[in-house]
Amino acid sequence: MKQKIFLTRTLHDFALKELKKKFEVEIHTGKIPIAQNILKSKIKNSDGLICFPYDEINKEVLQSAEKLKVISTFSVGYDHIDLDFAKENKIRVGYTPEVLTDATADMAFGLLLDSLRRISEGDRIIRNGKWKQIYGAYDYVGFDLQGKTLGIMGLGRIGKTLAKRAKAFDMKIIYHNRNKISKEEERKLGVKYVALDKLITQSDVISIHVPHTKETNQIFDMKILKKMKKTAFLINTSRGKVVNEKDLVTALKQKIIAGAGIDVFKTEPINKNHPFIKLENLVMAPHIGSSTKETRIQMAELTVKNLINGMNGKKPIYSVGY
């Protein structure tokens, strides 16, 4: 009898084909994200689970799983999974870092470029029939990237890759991280380590690349936003919960900072009445940092491999916790 795998959403055909060779596969086809009561019911008799970053795999859900061996998440983040409970109950957890590094760094840089040069704003002006005259010397100006200081909060894989993009645009790059990288790597990347307070006060653009934890929860609040330059921009492609959205709305409305570019939100998708919607100095993307054809294929491949490893009693290729 085949072991049972439950997917909270479908994957690529090649990935499903690979799974169906080895397991009995059930795929949720209803509302996304899956309702907690349905998830608890489906996970009860499942040996493996494939989930996504918006699925809440909390203690209550996991307590209903009677024989779960492995959780394989289609994401680099894993803050949606109760890792402590999983570890205590010897449930393997696999995730998909590295393969989405370039795509997410590109998204961060795209938001940075768009924010400083006001590209999306210009697109709206044209589409809404508001482009009435050729702009003059002082009209509709943005900012050069050359010579600006980019502060990278969290110099992991994505942060380092973003630094390479920024270096090509002649930006000055400073970073803050839990641990300093080697002097040789700093020289190679063209980055300089600074204390968090200096990163906040000296940067023209701050790009966030930290995981969502108790320590980073809403770390970018009004206290920090007020320390930023009035001409500074905030870019976030990490997790929405690391920014206090209410404070960011106030900072953008009152021009405490010049603008922001975000790909992640506290609750996704955001409501059509969300205060972000009316802000002209905010560029938004619908959580598509890893959303390239090539990257999503690699993520699917890794998600399946992680799951198969876990089902065979091995550690996933990329494993966290147990």
Side-chain angles (χ1 to χ4, degrees), residues 5 7 9-23 25 48-52 70-75 94-96 99 296-312 314-318:
I5 304 299
L7 286 77
R9 192 172 194 166
T10 195
L11 276 176
H12 302 71
D13 288 344
F14 76 83
L16 297 179
K17 187 178 179 181
E18 185 67 24
L19 289 170
K20 287 175 181 177
K21 282 181 191 174
K22 298 175 171 63
F23 312 109
V25 177
L49 172 69
I50 288 179
C51 64
F52 291 75
V70 58
I71 300 167
S72 183
T73 182
F74 186 84
S75 62
Y95 68 122
T96 62
V99 294
R296 290 289 170 89
I297 287 171
Q298 291 178 70
M299 288 175 71
E301 288 173 346
L302 189 49
T303 298
V304 169
K305 287 176 182 176
N306 281 338
L307 182 114
I308 291 171
N309 270 21
M311 294 296 287
N312 290 332
K314 301 176 185 175
K315 273 198 167 190
I317 296 168
Y318 291 100

